[in-house]
Amino acid sequence: PLATLSGHSQGILSLDWCPHDDSLLVSCGKDNRTILWDLYTLKPIADIPNDDPVQNQQNASQASGVDAFDASNVYGGLGSSQQKRYDVQWSPLTRGVVSSCSFDRKVQAHSVNGLVTKCGRPPKWLKPSSSVSCGFGGAVVSCASSAVEQSQSQKPSASIIKIETAVEHPELVYASKKFEEAIAQNDLIGFCKSLVAKAESVGNKDEAQLWSFMQIIFEANARQQLLVHLGFHADTIAKKAMEYTEDGMAGLSLKDKKAATPPPMSTAARDTVKNALMVGNFEAAVECCFRTGNLADALVLASCGGSELWSKTQARYFELESKKRPFLNIVNAVMHDKLEDIVSQADPVQWKETLAILSTYGKSDQFPALCIALGDRLESATGDSASASLCYMCALNLNGAVKHWRSQLEAANKKKKHGDMDLLALHEFVVKVTVFLNALDPSASSLDPIVAELLSEYGKALADQGLFATAAKYCKGSSEETNFLRDRLYRSRDHYNCASLLGSVPEFPFSLTNIKKSKASSSTTTKKTASRQQQQQQQQASASSATATATSTAQAQTQSHSSTSSSPQLADGWIALQDPSSGKTYYANQNTGETTWDMPHDARAPAPVAAVTTSTTQTSYSANANGGTMSAQPSATVTSQTSTNGSMPSRSHTPSKLASKYGDGFVTSASHPELAEQYGNVGTSNPYHSVSRPGTAAAVLGSSSTGKAPVSANFDPNQPPAQSDEHQPISDSLLELLTTLAATQLAPSDKRQLSEGEKAVGILLKKLSRGAIGADVVGQVQNMVNAIRNRDYGTASAIQTALVTHDWKEHKDWLRGVKFLIQLASKKIY
């Protein structure tokens, strides 16, 4: 039969298949139960109850896992008769309605639409015709079937699956695309000009000034452009100075030969200066000129009196005249290379003039530090963060300039309800940072962690709108949220673009915990398993000896005593295990992993003696359940002890109870020879003429009796088996492959394949070290390894397939795992 449903305790009177859901079946029987079946699980899911509460309680106790429920609540008060129902049918028109007929001439209708079952699956007529699910990046996956097609055809129509992207903030998507297009054109000056014009059109002077400074940064002659922007045009100022006149001084000029003479010096002063010059005392002559107010004469005379006198005269001159002529402070600072004094002493309100002086006279290596000092003074003295931000921009100092931009973003966020982020303000912040970063040296620029997280938050907002590739550009942070976003973008549907923008495989955002057992616990488990198997063998031996005759019992006890007294002991480190395929006992060394069929002896124990096999057969009788006829059934008990020559260990065979040959339905013994052996159907054609036909114990024992001991799969890549010079390249290449694959990002299924591949490599290397692989197979393995090293996975797979075809029987323990390694390498190592 295809399936057998168990639930009724007596004969079945009627059953009916649901016409609207082919997984539902209803039946009634002589046990006065009406059961609803789920053919997916082949179990009853509910009983349609009777009016008799006692009968309902009995039915509920009989139904394993069936929900008991109140018929008056579920079926609208409709119940069944206390008499047996002999017919049940589904309504062909109304879905979910079952009719029942009972022997008291009642026909009742029951609705199962309100039934709640443990299967967790609604009937087909209650399943939704459409569904929707949301995913990462605003993805919306929906499926629905055409209502017109479904109404015209009895068969369910094919579902239409749609994958769309729901954009929650279209204004952000539009602004981001426009910005990315402008950046892609690599015309940052033109982009800044457009933003200046946009800010001026709405009257935002601060933004216009900011983008003007941003434009100047990318100009070839940035300092000259800065002076022009600050209002200091060199040509205009020169022309004005050349044409400037005052009353009474109209005829004075450097080019005129007839210049007006200064006020005359007194005769006594002239004689004093002349006498001082006669004796070469320029210092006295300069002092006389200072006392008479002839400062220009003092400067001329000091220039001839040496550097020390010249410096002293300049300092005295600036001290006397700076209060009358403030521009002399500029001259003094320029002459003595003390521009930092101008920054510290200048009026903060006139910061543009100070910035112009720094731009004109500041050296290239000093200019950034002077601009940062000016910005710090503006922040501390006046709190003008906007002007200070412009000074930081001139110094190409992002961390200083970004402070004002962050304050603008925080102010915009405060206007939002519930503390939400103003995405458009965040976009403007990111635009400023991104454009400014283009002016910096990528190797020298480092982002503030707060700025990096803001960029990552902007990337997350773009990812939520489906802009994965753009979002990957802004994953600059190092927080857990950023690492999680970076990993999701790397594994998104736009994987290739995101991978190129991220630069490298992102770190897995979650911590991994190794739950593998330690070697010590594994060794303890192996010892417990071996001890348990030995106990089971002893119990089987004792049970067999208990059923034998008195004579056989005495012989078995004598043999057991002699065998025990002379049985050898295992060498240290060895344990006895049972081969699951053949049932034979083999021995494994817990320290080296070596296995063998031959029992390793303890050197201190006496040599083993040959075992004596004794077998007895007795006949037992059992009564037939239907009649009283006694049927003789032979019961054979075989007790044996195996010597160390590799023969079979003790086994106990008990044939199964004879059953009717019709118990397997229409399955014949021609294709299943094990049925002929079980039922004694020797007349049926048997295509397997040999003793070792598939499925028989003889085939299993015959194929493994002469085989070699299985090789342990325990393998430590850090301590591989020693190889010969010929096989060492194979070992090195396979270990390198395991190390490379272990370093990649692997799914759970890939990790299982890698584990199988590691076991296969361990078995292969152990066989190579023991010389258990023929030269022709070793040559093919060498070719396969070379193909893997050359990334020629097609050739490697072809060689593995050829080995499976011709050498599967001898090397199946490692060929399957090698196939997994080739598949993983083709996916993870390009």
Side-chain angles (χ1 to χ4, degrees):
L2 295 178
T4 301
L5 308 180
S6 300
H8 286 285
S9 59
Q10 299 182 27
I12 299 174
L13 298 176
S14 176
L15 57 86
D16 191 29
W17 214 305
C18 180
H20 304 111
D21 189 344
D22 51 10
S23 67
L24 295 179
L25 188 71
V26 66
S27 65
C28 64
K30 294 180 181 180
D31 55 359
N32 203 16
R33 294 182 64 191
T34 305
I35 301 177
L36 182 64
W37 302 85
D38 181 10
L39 297 184
Y40 281 121
T41 61
L42 302 179
K43 294 181 180 180
I45 58 175
D47 269 61
I48 297 179
N50 294 319
D51 292 337
D52 187 2
V54 177
Q55 182 65 37
N56 289 337
Q57 184 66 25
Q58 293 177 355
N59 292 345
S61 63
Q62 292 176 7
S64 154
V66 176
D67 292 335
F69 57 91
D70 187 359
S72 61
N73 293 334
V74 179
Y75 300 111
L78 294 178
S80 65
S81 171
Q82 296 182 8
Q83 303 297 325
K84 294 182 179 179
R85 296 170 179 154
Y86 64 87
D87 186 63
V88 288
Q89 291 185 15
W90 291 91
S91 171
L93 299 178
T94 305
R95 297 171 178 172
V97 175
V98 178
S99 66
S100 64
C101 299
S102 57
F103 286 107
D104 59 354
R105 296 176 296 178
K106 288 184 179 180
V107 177
Q108 293 181 321
H110 311 270
S111 173
V112 298
N113 285 330
L115 181 62
V116 178
T117 65
K118 291 183 178 179
C119 66
R121 184 174 41 79
K124 284 186 177 180
W125 61 83
L126 293 181
K127 288 183 178 179
S129 59
S130 61
S131 62
V132 64
S133 178
C134 299
F136 175 63
V140 178
V141 182
S142 60
C143 62
S145 57
S146 175
V148 177
E149 294 178 0
Q150 194 166 3
S151 62
Q152 293 178 354
S153 175
Q154 296 295 333
K155 298 181 179 180
S157 59
S159 298
I160 301 175
I161 300 177
K162 296 182 180 180
I163 302 178
E164 300 175 326
T165 300
V167 178
E168 186 178 0
H169 300 284
E171 66 281 358
L172 176 64
V173 174
Y174 176 79
S176 175
K177 289 183 177 179
K178 285 290 185 181
F179 173 62
E180 296 301 326
E181 291 175 359
I183 292 296
Q185 295 176 0
N186 201 24
D187 184 12
L188 296 177
I189 295 178
F191 177 72
C192 294
K193 287 182 178 179
S194 64
L195 292 182
V196 170
K198 180 180 178 181
E200 290 177 347
S201 63
V202 296
N204 192 340
K205 295 182 179 180
D206 291 340
E207 285 296 305
Q209 192 172 42
L210 184 148
W211 285 110
S212 296
F213 271 69
M214 194 79 75
Q215 174 189 341
I216 292 171
I217 293 175
F218 297 99
E219 296 285 355
N221 49 351
R223 288 206 188 181
Q224 295 180 8
Q225 294 295 328
L226 178 60
L227 291 174
V228 173
H229 179 72
L230 294 174
F232 301 99
H233 297 269
D235 297 338
T236 303
I237 294 174
K239 182 178 180 181
K240 186 176 180 180
M242 296 298 294
E243 297 176 354
Y244 181 80
T245 58
E246 286 186 358
D247 296 340
M249 302 293 290
L252 294 178
S253 174
L254 291 176
K255 298 180 180 180
D256 295 337
K257 295 181 180 181
K258 298 179 179 180
T261 59
M265 183 183 296
S266 64
T267 304
R270 289 199 300 270
D271 293 341
T272 303
V273 171
K274 182 176 67 173
N275 293 333
L277 293 176
M278 292 293 183
V279 295
N281 192 342
F282 285 92
E283 184 175 359
V286 170
E287 180 66 23
C288 181
C289 292
F290 269 112
R291 291 181 178 275
T292 58
N294 295 284
L295 302 183
D297 295 335
L299 291 173
V300 173
L301 293 175
S303 63
C304 301
S307 59
E308 182 178 357
L309 178 62
W310 172 245
S311 298
K312 291 172 59 178
T313 304
Q314 283 182 343
R316 189 174 181 182
Y317 174 78
F318 288 132
E319 182 181 359
L320 294 174
E321 297 296 319
S322 293
K323 296 179 180 179
K324 302 177 184 178
R325 301 176 177 86
F327 62 85
L328 290 178
N329 289 328
I330 300 175
V331 178
N332 186 25
V334 171
M335 291 180 62
H336 296 88
D337 195 16
K338 294 182 179 181
L339 294 178
E340 62 273 8
D341 293 343
I342 295 180
V343 174
S344 59
Q345 299 172 7
D347 185 3
V349 178
Q350 304 296 330
W351 66 271
K352 290 186 178 181
E353 295 181 358
T354 305
L355 184 59
I357 295 172
L358 300 179
S359 177
T360 304
Y361 299 104
K363 299 179 181 179
S364 299
D365 56 341
Q366 298 176 345
F367 181 71
L370 293 172
C371 291
I372 292 175
L374 179 59
D376 293 341
R377 185 158 188 263
L378 290 178
E379 283 186 339
S380 59
T382 63
D384 188 1
S385 60
S387 300
S389 176
L390 298 178
C391 295
Y392 293 133
M393 291 175 62
C394 294
L396 297 181
N397 185 273
L398 176 61
N399 293 333
V402 81
K403 290 186 291 185
H404 176 62
W405 304 343
R406 280 171 45 198
S407 65
Q408 290 178 319
L409 176 60
E410 292 171 358
N413 291 337
K414 291 180 180 179
K415 299 178 182 179
K416 301 288 290 186
K417 296 180 180 179
H418 310 294
D420 295 337
M421 176 71 72
D422 189 334
L423 295 182
L424 290 181
L426 178 62
H427 170 73
E428 294 178 359
F429 172 83
V430 172
V431 169
K432 295 172 185 176
V433 173
T434 304
V435 174
F436 194 80
L437 285 173
N438 282 272
L440 303 181
D441 183 6
S443 61
S445 59
S446 60
L447 285 177
D448 183 86
I450 299 178
V451 177
E453 291 303 326
L454 287 174
L455 292 178
S456 299
E457 189 168 353
Y458 176 73
K460 182 179 182 301
L462 294 181
D464 291 339
Q465 314 307 313
L467 303 178
F468 295 146
T470 308
K473 296 170 55 178
Y474 299 99
C475 293
K476 305 295 185 181
S478 57
S479 63
E480 293 183 1
E481 292 79 5
T482 303
N483 293 335
F484 180 66
L485 174 62
R486 191 180 289 110
D487 182 75
R488 296 200 71 175
L489 291 173
Y490 180 79
R491 306 177 192 281
S492 66
R493 60 178 180 268
D494 198 6
H495 160 75
Y496 293 103
N497 292 328
C498 292
S500 61
L501 292 170
L502 292 173
S504 61
V505 179
E507 182 182 358
F508 192 64
F510 304 104
S511 59
L512 299 176
T513 303
N514 188 356
I515 59 174
K516 291 183 178 180
K517 295 182 179 180
S518 62
K519 292 184 177 180
S521 62
S522 300
S523 175
T524 303
T525 304
T526 304
K527 292 180 179 178
K528 290 182 179 179
T529 303
S531 176
R532 192 183 304 112
Q533 292 179 355
Q534 292 176 356
Q535 292 176 3
Q536 292 176 356
Q537 292 176 0
Q538 293 175 0
Q539 292 174 1
Q540 292 175 0
S542 62
S544 300
S545 61
T547 59
T549 61
T551 304
S552 300
T553 303
Q555 294 177 352
Q557 290 176 350
T558 303
Q559 177 65 26
S560 175
H561 176 73
S562 61
S563 175
T564 303
S565 60
S566 61
S567 60
Q569 297 180 358
L570 285 175
D572 293 338
W574 289 85
I575 58 174
L577 299 174
Q578 187 174 11
D579 183 18
S581 61
S582 63
K584 295 181 59 177
T585 301
Y586 68 96
Y587 304 91
N589 191 309
Q590 302 178 72
N591 300 323
T592 63
E594 183 181 357
T595 59
T596 179
W597 290 116
D598 299 331
M599 179 179 179
H601 309 302
D602 193 346
R604 296 167 298 179
V609 298
V612 179
T613 302
T614 305
S615 63
T616 63
T617 302
Q618 69 176 9
T619 304
S620 61
Y621 297 89
S622 61
N624 191 301
N626 297 328
T629 306
M630 304 295 291
S631 61
Q633 297 181 2
S635 176
T637 302
V638 180
T639 305
S640 65
Q641 296 179 352
T642 306
S643 64
T644 58
N645 58 1
S647 60
M648 287 292 295
S650 62
R651 299 173 57 89
S652 176
H653 301 282
T654 302
S656 60
K657 185 176 66 175
L658 290 178
S660 172
K661 66 178 66 179
Y662 303 104
D664 286 305
F666 298 102
V667 181
T668 67
S669 58
S671 58
H672 296 272
E674 66 273 10
L675 296 181
E677 181 181 359
Q678 178 180 355
Y679 301 132
N681 190 4
V682 296
T684 307
S685 175
N686 183 9
Y688 304 102
H689 302 286
S690 63
V691 177
S692 301
R693 64 175 180 266
T696 62
V700 176
L701 298 178
S703 62
S704 60
S705 61
T706 60
K708 297 181 180 179
V711 179
S712 172
N714 296 331
F715 175 61
D716 184 4
N718 297 323
Q719 296 179 352
Q723 304 291 340
S724 63
D725 295 340
E726 180 184 0
H727 299 159
Q728 190 62 41
I730 298 178
S731 176
D732 295 341
S733 300
L734 292 176
L735 294 176
E736 181 183 358
L737 177 62
L738 291 176
T739 304
T740 304
L741 290 175
T744 61
Q745 295 288 340
L746 299 176
S749 59
D750 296 336
K751 292 179 181 178
R752 289 192 293 270
Q753 289 187 347
L754 179 59
S755 177
E756 292 296 328
E758 183 175 328
K759 294 178 182 178
V761 170
I763 295 174
L764 173 59
L765 295 183
K766 289 179 181 179
K767 284 191 171 183
L768 282 176
S769 65
R770 300 175 188 176
I773 301 180
D776 55 342
V777 176
V778 172
Q780 295 185 61
V781 171
Q782 181 65 59
N783 295 335
M784 179 178 63
V785 170
N786 292 338
I788 295 175
R789 291 180 62 89
N790 297 329
R791 308 291 191 267
D792 188 2
Y793 302 115
T795 302
S797 180
I799 297 174
Q800 191 272 344
T801 302
L803 288 172
V804 169
T805 304
H806 300 94
D807 301 282
W808 172 256
K809 183 177 180 180
E810 294 80 6
H811 304 294
K812 60 184 178 182
D813 48 0
W814 57 268
L815 280 173
R816 181 171 178 267
V818 170
K819 178 181 179 181
F820 291 152
L821 288 181
I822 297 174
Q823 292 175 349
L824 278 178
S826 63
K827 292 191 299 183
K828 301 297 181 180
I829 306 175
Y830 304 101

